[in-house]
Amino acid sequence: MSTTLALVIISGIATGAIYSLIALSIVIVYKASDAVNFAAGEFTMVGAYIALFFIVSASLPYYLIFPIVAAATFILGGAFERLVVVPITNRTKGRENPLIPIVIATFGLSLMLTGFVRVFPYTEEVRSLPPLIRGAPIFVGGVPILLTDIAIVVVAVTAILGFWLFFSYTMLGKALQASSQNPRTAALSGIPVAKMRMIVWAIAGLMAGVSGMLVGPKLALTPNLGGIIMIAIAAAVIGGFSNLPGSILGGFIVGVVQNLIGYFFGSTTIAVAPFLIIMVVLLFRPQGLFGGPVHVKKV
């Protein structure tokens, strides 16, 4: 394997870790409400710009910016669920399925967040966040690995592992899972399902916001960064929209495959790679590589 090809794969693993985190935020909302949050990309963009604001205006270090971004996007996700998703659900109860109105609302939120960010003067220029860690690359077998790529993978994998431990071993995490898997049974067991759904949307916002801080040093930072959601959706499709571990693996697969397509066929093909992946997976295995049997739902 050539050094260049190895670098392409390593860079794909780093970006794939970010895609996994965004895909995970999409999947947990889907499992809780059957709706795809098309504003997840804009949550990522907002997280990146919040980080940029504190770096430019106050020169804060990353370890102080991370909790700020996490808190801001957590509140934003929960507020959207309370102020928009709940009223939609209440108005359509007993008359129609609220799925389509909720999805349309997430589109509206994405446009609103993009327009809000464009108000700030420093968003008019293409920028990027500074590396998470500065320093000389580490050579492994003659292949240089950037410290920022290592940091991105470590932070993303740590976040994913932390969420897994939270959902698997805490009472709140188990309550969230029960509310997503069987809301009626969870409610009969005394679990406040409505509150659990708000927390799910809030956690999803936090995941996407933290992803913005990780993607900022890798990709050009513009108000259109929210388009990254198509890559995250490709990751979720590969893993299966109802499969959390699958969406994580799907993120890494998309990151590496996207870079390999760009390496072999030119950088202009990178933009179409997610759509190609989505079409191929839906054509041959619509439930995803790690999904279960196909279920048809009436909307």
Side-chain angles (χ1 to χ4, degrees):
M1 182 185 298
S2 68
T3 301
T4 304
L5 182 57
L7 287 173
V8 167
I9 294 175
I10 292 170
S11 178
I13 292 173
T15 53
I18 302 169
Y19 298 154
S20 295
L21 199 54
I22 304 173
L24 198 58
S25 76
I26 295 172
V27 171
I28 64 170
V29 167
Y30 178 78
K31 287 176 68 66
S33 60
D34 282 339
V36 178
N37 179 16
F38 284 98
E42 278 64 34
F43 274 88
T44 302
M45 179 266 296
V46 167
Y49 271 113
I50 292 175
L52 178 64
F53 171 78
F54 283 104
I55 289 172
V56 171
S57 63
S59 300
L60 291 183
Y62 273 117
Y63 68 84
L64 292 179
I65 298 175
F66 264 102
I68 294 173
V69 170
T73 50
F74 181 89
I75 293 171
L76 181 60
F80 176 74
E81 196 276 342
R82 289 287 94 179
L83 299 176
V84 179
V85 175
V86 170
I88 289 175
T89 303
N90 290 339
R91 289 194 186 100
T92 57
K93 186 178 294 184
R95 296 197 303 271
E96 60 180 295
N97 193 312
L99 174 59
I100 293 178
I102 291 174
V103 170
I104 293 174
T106 65
F107 272 114
L109 177 62
S110 68
L111 295 174
M112 186 184 72
L113 291 177
T114 301
F116 177 76
V117 167
R118 290 184 186 277
V119 172
F120 296 92
Y122 62 85
T123 63
E124 297 174 356
E125 302 176 4
V126 177
R127 295 172 177 256
S128 62
L129 294 180
L132 296 180
I133 298 180
R134 299 182 185 274
I138 297 175
F139 285 84
V140 178
V143 178
I145 303 177
L146 298 177
L147 292 182
T148 190
D149 283 347
I150 296 175
I152 288 171
V153 172
V154 169
V155 172
V157 171
T158 301
I160 291 170
L161 180 61
F163 285 122
W164 176 75
L165 292 173
F166 168 74
F167 280 109
S168 300
Y169 295 102
T170 67
M171 291 299 295
L172 178 58
K174 292 178 179 179
L176 291 170
Q177 286 194 70
S179 300
S180 298
Q181 293 169 0
N182 196 324
R184 181 171 296 180
T185 302
L188 292 175
S189 302
I191 296 174
V193 175
K195 185 180 293 185
M196 294 299 105
R197 284 177 177 162
M198 180 192 69
I199 294 174
V200 166
W201 279 84
I203 291 176
L206 185 157
M207 288 180 178
V210 170
S211 301
M213 293 191 61
L214 301 180
V215 80
K218 295 283 292 181
L219 301 180
L221 186 53
T222 73
N224 296 322
L225 181 63
I228 196 173
I229 189 175
M230 294 309 302
I231 305 176
I233 287 177
V237 168
I238 287 177
F241 254 90
S242 60
N243 190 299
L244 296 178
S247 66
I248 296 170
L249 292 174
F252 285 101
I253 292 172
V254 170
V256 173
V257 170
Q258 184 184 38
N259 276 20
L260 289 175
I261 290 175
Y263 174 74
F264 287 110
F265 301 102
S267 58
T268 56
T269 61
I270 292 178
V272 302
F275 303 99
L276 178 63
I277 293 171
I278 290 174
M279 287 190 293
V280 170
V281 173
L282 290 178
L283 182 62
F284 293 101
R285 191 171 172 81
Q287 72 270 38
L289 299 179
F290 308 101
V294 177
H295 297 286
V296 179
K297 290 184 177 182
K298 182 178 180 181
V299 178

